[in-house]
Amino acid sequence: MTSTWEEFYAKTPKPADLEENKVLLKNFIDRFSNTNKKVVVITSGGTTVPIEHNTVRFVDNFSAGNRGAISAEYFLEQDYAVIFVYRLKSLEPFSRHFMGNKFLDMLELTSEDSTDSVKVTPEHSNKVANILKNYKKTKERLLQLTFTTLSDYLWLLRSVCQAISGLEDRAIVYLAAAVSDFYIPPNEMSEHKIPSTEAPSIHLRLVPKVLKPLVNLWIPKSFVVSFKLETDERVLISKARKALENYSHSLVIANILQSRRQQVVFVTKDCDYTLRLTDEELKNGEEIERLIVENLVVKHVEWMEKAH
């Protein structure tokens, strides 16, 4: 059984930090409302689905937020303001380059007058300096907001859309988050941790498709991009086109799980075409998100011109 999006919002509690995030959003948007600055909302990472109110266990997915975090950097390069809505502890723009012990390997200890200090090793200094420079140059155009659960995400997404609605065609919404397809309504959850001696029976409900109200009600004048990930190439384009027919948004970026970092397909109501890195480009560290963002910027400008 599928709940409607109205029922979902009526039955799930608001995140504790939602009002604080609304203030952050308003302050950020106000800085650009009287300018020609284009703004992109990027959703990133996966959502969790708790199975208990006092959550110990939850259903999760594999997304680490690579596409969203990488894309944010390229949109900043293109002079967009970026609202980055991401799963807590998933990848973030700029810091994604320094995950785990690899960052510690870039540092070395030095001692002078019995005082320890840290500096970047010579072989990594250019890389770290360039990333730091780009971060410092663009951080005033970057707002980061976090979610963890599916309900956190959907509440935050609606608030973000409401905040940017006044920007109309200057806004892109780039839905790269891996959103759960199923959830457990709060009134059907166990209050406490389910005993490990039991084999619980869990009834999952289909998550309502909020893309329809997002496109038709919340931000009808904005450029909306969704993603379609499949494992069977034979159904990829047909499913992407079906999404466009159902929700009437601007564009679907379709990709196959195994090749998603090398190739994607842009699907619009009029055509579809492939963006692909060569094997050599991939080997040399090129990122498909650069091509994605460059193409989206062109399409967004064309779309804005048609709107006027």
Side-chain angles (χ1 to χ4, degrees):
M1 180 179 178
T2 307
S3 302
T4 66
W5 63 271
E6 296 102 327
E7 290 171 338
F8 182 91
Y9 284 110
K11 292 180 179 179
T12 56
K14 296 180 182 179
D17 60 352
L18 187 64
E19 295 307 315
E20 177 184 344
N21 283 334
K22 286 181 178 180
V23 173
L24 294 173
L25 280 163
K26 183 182 185 306
N27 292 340
F28 187 77
I29 295 298
D30 283 351
R31 286 164 39 203
F32 307 110
S33 58
N34 294 321
T35 71
N36 292 321
K37 182 71 69 182
K38 296 187 287 293
V39 176
V40 59
V41 175
I42 298 174
T43 68
S44 185
T47 59
T48 68
V49 175
I51 65 173
E52 303 138 339
H53 282 289
N54 293 286
T55 306
V56 175
R57 302 182 182 92
F58 52 83
V59 182
D60 203 353
N61 64 39
F62 76 95
S63 177
N66 277 285
R67 177 141 291 160
I70 299 169
S71 299
E73 292 182 25
Y74 287 116
F75 272 112
L76 288 165
E77 276 187 17
Q78 295 284 343
D79 201 34
Y80 277 69
V82 175
I83 301 172
F84 187 64
V85 179
Y86 71 106
R87 160 81 173 271
L88 186 65
K89 297 183 180 180
S90 66
L91 294 179
E92 301 175 46
F94 305 108
S95 65
R96 70 182 177 92
H97 299 278
F98 308 115
M99 298 299 293
N101 288 339
K102 290 182 179 179
F103 175 63
L104 298 180
D105 290 337
M106 296 180 180
L107 307 176
E108 60 183 20
L109 279 171
T110 61
S111 294
E112 186 174 337
D113 298 329
S114 301
T115 301
D116 291 336
S117 61
V118 176
K119 68 177 183 179
V120 180
T121 58
E123 63 267 31
H124 294 115
S125 60
N126 284 341
K127 175 183 177 180
V128 173
N130 285 333
I131 293 168
L132 181 61
K133 182 175 72 173
N134 289 334
Y135 169 68
K136 294 288 189 182
K137 183 172 64 176
T138 61
K139 70 175 185 177
E140 296 303 315
R141 288 187 281 113
L142 175 63
L143 174 65
Q144 299 191 192
L145 304 173
T146 63
F147 63 87
T148 300
T149 69
L150 170 69
S151 60
D152 290 347
Y153 170 78
L154 292 177
W155 275 102
L156 182 55
L157 178 63
R158 185 170 73 167
S159 294
V160 171
C161 289
Q162 290 168 342
I164 67 166
S165 61
L167 298 174
E168 298 186 344
D169 59 352
R170 282 195 284 141
I172 296 178
V173 175
Y174 181 87
L175 299 168
V179 182
S180 305
D181 292 315
F182 310 100
Y183 81 109
I184 304 170
N187 64 325
E188 298 178 15
M189 284 186 200
S190 170
E191 181 68 23
H192 299 289
K193 178 188 173 186
I194 298 172
S196 57
T197 55
E198 297 179 11
S201 177
I202 299 171
H203 181 61
L204 298 173
R205 302 283 186 92
L206 285 170
V207 174
K209 300 299 185 183
V210 295
L211 193 52
K212 186 175 287 292
L214 186 150
V215 172
N216 295 329
L217 299 176
W218 303 342
I219 46 169
K221 296 183 179 181
S222 297
F223 191 88
V224 179
V225 180
S226 72
F227 284 78
K228 176 61 67 174
L229 176 72
E230 295 292 338
T231 57
D232 184 352
E233 193 167 2
R234 295 170 297 181
V235 302
L236 182 65
I237 303 303
S238 62
K239 286 196 172 185
R241 292 213 163 277
K242 185 67 173 176
L244 281 177
E245 292 170 10
N246 287 341
Y247 307 117
S248 302
H249 55 303
S250 310
L251 175 71
V252 176
I253 299 177
N255 50 173
I256 295 296
L257 176 65
Q258 296 82 356
S259 60
R260 68 191 185 282
R261 294 182 180 172
Q262 185 169 14
Q263 178 174 302
V264 300
V265 183
F266 271 39
V267 182
T268 70
K269 65 178 182 179
D270 300 317
C271 68
D272 57 78
Y273 62 91
T274 299
L275 302 178
R276 189 179 191 279
L277 295 176
T278 66
D279 291 340
E280 189 66 20
E281 286 172 328
L282 193 64
K283 182 180 177 181
N284 290 335
E286 284 284 341
E287 295 169 319
I288 190 70
E289 288 78 12
R290 174 179 59 81
L291 299 180
I292 291 173
V293 171
E294 287 175 354
N295 275 261
L296 279 180
V297 168
V298 171
K299 286 194 169 297
H300 186 209
V301 170
E302 292 173 348
W303 185 76
M304 289 175 66
E305 290 171 350
K306 289 180 181 178
H308 290 285

